[in-house]
mmCIF file of all heavy atoms in Angstrom:
data_model
loop_
_atom_site.group_PDB
_atom_site.id
_atom_site.type_symbol
_atom_site.label_atom_id
_atom_site.label_comp_id
_atom_site.label_asym_id
_atom_site.label_seq_id
_atom_site.Cartn_x
_atom_site.Cartn_y
_atom_site.Cartn_z
ATOM 1 N N ASP A 8 -3.660 153.256 117.465
ATOM 2 C CA ASP A 8 -2.447 152.460 117.244
ATOM 3 C C ASP A 8 -1.427 153.187 116.367
ATOM 4 O O ASP A 8 -1.012 152.697 115.324
ATOM 5 C CB ASP A 8 -2.838 151.086 116.677
ATOM 6 C CG ASP A 8 -3.696 150.321 117.675
ATOM 7 O OD1 ASP A 8 -3.131 149.750 118.610
ATOM 8 O OD2 ASP A 8 -4.940 150.357 117.554
ATOM 9 N N HIS A 10 1.641 153.995 117.472
ATOM 10 C CA HIS A 10 2.851 153.200 117.698
ATOM 11 C C HIS A 10 4.143 153.913 117.311
ATOM 12 O O HIS A 10 5.003 153.348 116.612
ATOM 13 C CB HIS A 10 2.737 151.835 117.009
ATOM 14 C CG HIS A 10 1.866 150.885 117.770
ATOM 15 N ND1 HIS A 10 2.201 150.434 119.029
ATOM 16 C CD2 HIS A 10 0.655 150.341 117.483
ATOM 17 C CE1 HIS A 10 1.238 149.643 119.468
ATOM 18 N NE2 HIS A 10 0.287 149.578 118.562
ATOM 19 N N GLY A 34 -5.861 154.828 121.474
ATOM 20 C CA GLY A 34 -4.749 154.288 122.255
ATOM 21 C C GLY A 34 -3.607 153.687 121.456
ATOM 22 O O GLY A 34 -3.669 153.562 120.243
ATOM 23 N N ASP A 35 -2.560 153.327 122.207
ATOM 24 C CA ASP A 35 -1.276 152.900 121.661
ATOM 25 C C ASP A 35 -0.616 154.020 120.859
ATOM 26 O O ASP A 35 -0.386 153.919 119.656
ATOM 27 C CB ASP A 35 -1.377 151.594 120.864
ATOM 28 C CG ASP A 35 -1.334 150.372 121.780
ATOM 29 O OD1 ASP A 35 -1.191 150.547 123.013
ATOM 30 O OD2 ASP A 35 -1.444 149.245 121.265
ATOM 31 N N TYR A 39 6.721 149.773 119.616
ATOM 32 C CA TYR A 39 7.113 149.300 118.283
ATOM 33 C C TYR A 39 7.943 150.316 117.487
ATOM 34 O O TYR A 39 8.943 149.965 116.901
ATOM 35 C CB TYR A 39 5.914 148.896 117.414
ATOM 36 C CG TYR A 39 5.103 147.742 117.901
ATOM 37 C CD1 TYR A 39 3.708 147.785 117.903
ATOM 38 C CD2 TYR A 39 5.715 146.573 118.343
ATOM 39 C CE1 TYR A 39 2.952 146.708 118.336
ATOM 40 C CE2 TYR A 39 4.967 145.484 118.779
ATOM 41 C CZ TYR A 39 3.582 145.562 118.765
ATOM 42 O OH TYR A 39 2.835 144.496 119.192
ATOM 43 N N ASN A 62 -2.649 149.176 125.515
ATOM 44 C CA ASN A 62 -1.843 148.262 126.322
ATOM 45 C C ASN A 62 -0.355 148.582 126.225
ATOM 46 O O ASN A 62 0.393 148.409 127.191
ATOM 47 C CB ASN A 62 -2.126 146.795 125.939
ATOM 48 C CG ASN A 62 -1.913 146.503 124.477
ATOM 49 O OD1 ASN A 62 -2.372 147.255 123.614
ATOM 50 N ND2 ASN A 62 -1.237 145.424 124.170
ATOM 51 N N HIS A 63 0.093 149.074 125.069
ATOM 52 C CA HIS A 63 1.511 149.445 124.956
ATOM 53 C C HIS A 63 1.822 150.721 125.735
ATOM 54 O O HIS A 63 2.911 150.846 126.297
ATOM 55 C CB HIS A 63 1.902 149.616 123.480
ATOM 56 C CG HIS A 63 2.050 148.309 122.772
ATOM 57 N ND1 HIS A 63 3.254 147.714 122.530
ATOM 58 C CD2 HIS A 63 1.107 147.466 122.271
ATOM 59 C CE1 HIS A 63 3.078 146.563 121.903
ATOM 60 N NE2 HIS A 63 1.776 146.390 121.731
ATOM 61 N N HIS A 116 -9.926 150.968 123.902
ATOM 62 C CA HIS A 116 -8.775 150.427 123.173
ATOM 63 C C HIS A 116 -9.087 149.032 122.646
ATOM 64 O O HIS A 116 -9.177 148.822 121.452
ATOM 65 C CB HIS A 116 -7.513 150.402 124.050
ATOM 66 C CG HIS A 116 -6.310 149.928 123.281
ATOM 67 N ND1 HIS A 116 -5.823 150.594 122.181
ATOM 68 C CD2 HIS A 116 -5.513 148.821 123.424
ATOM 69 C CE1 HIS A 116 -4.778 149.928 121.681
ATOM 70 N NE2 HIS A 116 -4.575 148.859 122.418
ATOM 71 N N HIS A 148 -6.598 148.263 118.783
ATOM 72 C CA HIS A 148 -5.918 147.101 119.355
ATOM 73 C C HIS A 148 -5.648 145.993 118.337
ATOM 74 O O HIS A 148 -4.596 145.374 118.362
ATOM 75 C CB HIS A 148 -6.727 146.568 120.530
ATOM 76 C CG HIS A 148 -5.999 145.636 121.443
ATOM 77 N ND1 HIS A 148 -4.666 145.775 121.776
ATOM 78 C CD2 HIS A 148 -6.441 144.522 122.123
ATOM 79 C CE1 HIS A 148 -4.331 144.791 122.621
ATOM 80 N NE2 HIS A 148 -5.373 144.027 122.831
ATOM 81 N N HIS A 150 -5.484 146.416 115.045
ATOM 82 C CA HIS A 150 -4.799 146.982 113.876
ATOM 83 C C HIS A 150 -5.474 146.574 112.564
ATOM 84 O O HIS A 150 -4.824 146.524 111.516
ATOM 85 C CB HIS A 150 -3.322 146.590 113.839
ATOM 86 C CG HIS A 150 -2.522 147.067 115.018
ATOM 87 N ND1 HIS A 150 -1.179 147.333 114.949
ATOM 88 C CD2 HIS A 150 -2.878 147.342 116.299
ATOM 89 C CE1 HIS A 150 -0.739 147.732 116.126
ATOM 90 N NE2 HIS A 150 -1.762 147.731 116.967
ATOM 91 N N ARG A 189 -2.058 145.894 110.087
ATOM 92 C CA ARG A 189 -1.870 144.439 110.006
ATOM 93 C C ARG A 189 -2.899 143.782 109.099
ATOM 94 O O ARG A 189 -3.142 142.583 109.213
ATOM 95 C CB ARG A 189 -1.966 143.820 111.400
ATOM 96 C CG ARG A 189 -0.842 144.224 112.319
ATOM 97 C CD ARG A 189 -1.012 143.614 113.696
ATOM 98 N NE ARG A 189 -0.104 144.245 114.635
ATOM 99 C CZ ARG A 189 -0.237 144.179 115.957
ATOM 100 N NH1 ARG A 189 -1.256 143.514 116.483
ATOM 101 N NH2 ARG A 189 0.616 144.793 116.746
HETATM 102 ZN ZN1 LIG B 301 -1.559 148.480 119.084
#
Side-chain angles (χ1 to χ4, degrees):
D8 297 280
H10 283 296
D35 277 358
Y39 296 135
N62 56 313
H63 285 260
H116 184 62
H148 196 37
H150 299 208
R189 293 178 193 162

